[in-house]
Amino acid sequence: MTDPSAASRPVQAVVLAGGQGSRLRPYTDDRPKPMVEIPGTGTPIIGHQLSWLAEEGVTDVVVSCGHLAEVLQKWLDTADLPLSVTTVVETEPLGRGGGLKYAAAHLPHPDRPWYATNGDIWTRFSLRDMADFHTERDAVATVALARPRIPWGAVKTDGFGHITDFIESPPSTFEINAGVYVFSPEFAGMLPERGDHERTTFPHLARVRRLAGFPIPQGSYWRAIDTAKDLTEAARELAALGR
């Protein structure tokens, strides 16, 4: 039986892959951050992302390149990819919102919704469920929300100031922007030509209740790859998960 929700789910996506990744040096001295390989997987971060997007029904991706774009483009040209990929390169810095707008202009279906993801995110959860959540709330933009573990041990105390327990790397009490999005077709027209959409477009949509937040389901894998320590921990976690 045909799933009536399927028609409103995106089949296209933008991957923002232009960052310099200065905190990941020396890994990023000769390649952009999305081309860094997670140890033991044999595949760069963007390769995992493209496989995930394809598994979730995406057929077309626009990759926005910047730092060492030619390295990423060469890999994309020679890799056996599960979907169609187009690359665009910013000739001058446009900011996060401007870069997103520039990339979105190259999507094959401007009248249909689309996903977007930051190029340094390694995650697995149901984008189809996120798209349905987006539609049910009549949102223009939906942001995936994560609760990352804080890198320090925490303590619990009672009402008298006695320590009652120690907790190693507990989840944050706050949800954060996980760097994965669902956008309705009209969102691209709301983005600035230059600048940061998180300071302009998102606050406007929040005021009119058209910005939604989708909590990544508990138990789903999510990690931002920002430092060498993140690479090491991602490799360890994925080995434990058998991936």
Side-chain angles (χ1 to χ4, degrees), residues 164-233:
T164 60
D165 199 5
F166 292 87
I167 307 168
E168 186 64 29
S169 298
S172 168
T173 56
F174 293 99
E175 293 174 311
I176 68 162
N177 180 344
V180 181
Y181 311 91
V182 182
F183 297 133
S184 295
E186 63 267 34
F187 180 76
M190 299 178 177
L191 288 165
E193 296 291 338
R194 293 173 181 272
D196 188 348
H197 61 290
E198 294 191 10
R199 298 190 179 191
T200 54
T201 313
F202 276 1
H204 165 72
L205 290 174
R207 285 192 295 271
V208 296
R209 298 294 188 269
R210 301 296 298 280
L211 181 66
F214 175 79
I216 293 177
Q218 186 174 4
S220 298
Y221 187 77
W222 179 90
R223 178 176 283 277
I225 308 297
D226 290 320
T227 66
K229 183 179 179 182
D230 291 325
L231 279 176
T232 302
E233 292 187 353

Side-chain angles (χ1 to χ4, degrees), residues 50-107:
L50 294 176
S51 294
W52 174 49
L53 290 169
E55 291 166 5
E56 293 295 324
V58 174
T59 58
D60 294 271
V61 172
V62 176
V63 177
S64 178
C65 308
H67 174 64
L68 297 174
E70 66 280 0
V71 178
L72 178 51
Q73 289 174 314
K74 181 179 180 180
W75 184 83
L76 291 170
D77 287 342
T78 56
D80 182 16
L81 301 175
L83 34 64
S84 176
V85 174
T86 301
T87 59
V88 297
V89 181
E90 291 181 35
T91 56
E92 56 183 327
L94 300 174
R96 289 191 297 175
L100 197 58
K101 187 182 188 78
Y102 179 63
H106 295 80
L107 289 167

Side-chain angles (χ1 to χ4, degrees), residues 8-15 53 56-58 100 107 113-117 126-132 180-183:
S8 62
R9 293 172 185 157
V11 296
Q12 56 186 355
V14 167
V15 176
L53 290 169
E56 293 295 324
V58 174
L100 197 58
L107 289 167
W114 45 293
Y115 297 117
T117 181
S126 174
L127 285 175
R128 292 180 174 91
D129 287 351
M130 184 176 174
D132 293 346
V180 181
Y181 311 91
V182 182
F183 297 133

Side-chain angles (χ1 to χ4, degrees), residues 155-164:
V155 296
K156 282 187 174 181
T157 59
D158 63 18
F160 295 98
H162 298 123
I163 292 176
T164 60

